[in-house]
Amino acid sequence: MARSSSIAGIALAMLLLAACAAPGGALPTGTAPEPVVTTAGPPASATPTASEPGPPSDPAAEPAGTAISTATSEFGEILWGPGEQVVYIWERDVSPESQCTGDCAVAWPPVLTVGEPTAAGGVDPALLGTTVRADGAVQVTYGGHPLYFYAHEGPGEVRCHDVATHGGLWWVVTPSGERAP
């Protein structure tokens, strides 16, 4: 019996992920509205990536952390990570500790960093932080919320704002640290 409920749970998660990944995909009744696709992402210059540690001659140098930046979307000004990937928060994360593990973290990879995350554009550096995941990886937080990417989005796309998967709604994030409307 446990095996059949596990298979049913996996099938449901796959259905929801397929709907989120495909423009115009329908979600089952009672879930969030259809995903919205935005293809006008941030300019490449607004999304620096994490850099390598400083030169070996500088023992005090720390690696630059993952850069979080802002750009305009149909949801207003929102946060973006490296590679022109939009970042999300999840309603089930009620503290900086991530609740998204296992198959959830496969579909919604955490925004990880080595070194302190850095702010670009309209990102408030005071709202940037980190949390240590159960596996020891360091995840970027913003306004106390762990940040995630959606695994099936390309650069500049916003497909899963206000979409329910893995037991909760996912939202893009404004520079104030709140979910976008």
Side-chain angles (χ1 to χ4, degrees):
M1 182 69 164
R3 182 171 168 81
S4 64
S5 64
S6 175
I7 292 170
I10 291 170
L12 177 59
M14 295 299 289
L15 174 65
L16 289 173
L17 289 175
C20 194
L27 292 172
T29 304
T31 62
E34 279 187 37
V36 176
V37 176
T38 302
T39 56
S45 63
T47 57
T49 60
S51 61
E52 295 297 318
S57 62
D58 183 2
E62 285 191 33
T66 300
I68 304 297
S69 61
T70 57
T72 302
S73 75
E74 70 181 85
F75 304 106
E77 194 82 1
I78 60 173
L79 303 186
W80 297 80
E84 297 183 19
Q85 294 293 136
V86 70
V87 297
Y88 293 89
I89 57 174
W90 190 32
E91 77 173 326
R92 292 198 53 194
D93 287 335
V94 294
S95 74
E97 184 177 323
S98 174
Q99 301 302 306
C100 182
T101 61
D103 66 330
C104 177
V106 171
W108 296 91
V111 178
L112 301 177
T113 190
V114 175
E116 289 300 313
T118 59
V123 171
D124 182 347
L127 295 179
L128 273 176
T130 60
T131 188
V132 177
R133 296 180 58 81
D135 64 3
V138 179
Q139 183 172 2
V140 179
T141 62
Y142 195 75
H145 302 284
L147 297 180
Y148 304 88
F149 299 111
Y150 179 59
H152 303 287
E153 284 180 336
E157 293 180 329
V158 179
R159 293 181 183 246
C160 296
H161 174 64
D162 206 22
V163 170
T165 71
H166 297 88
L169 290 169
W170 296 87
W171 301 300
V172 294
V173 189
T174 67
S176 69
E178 301 298 321
R179 68 182 178 108

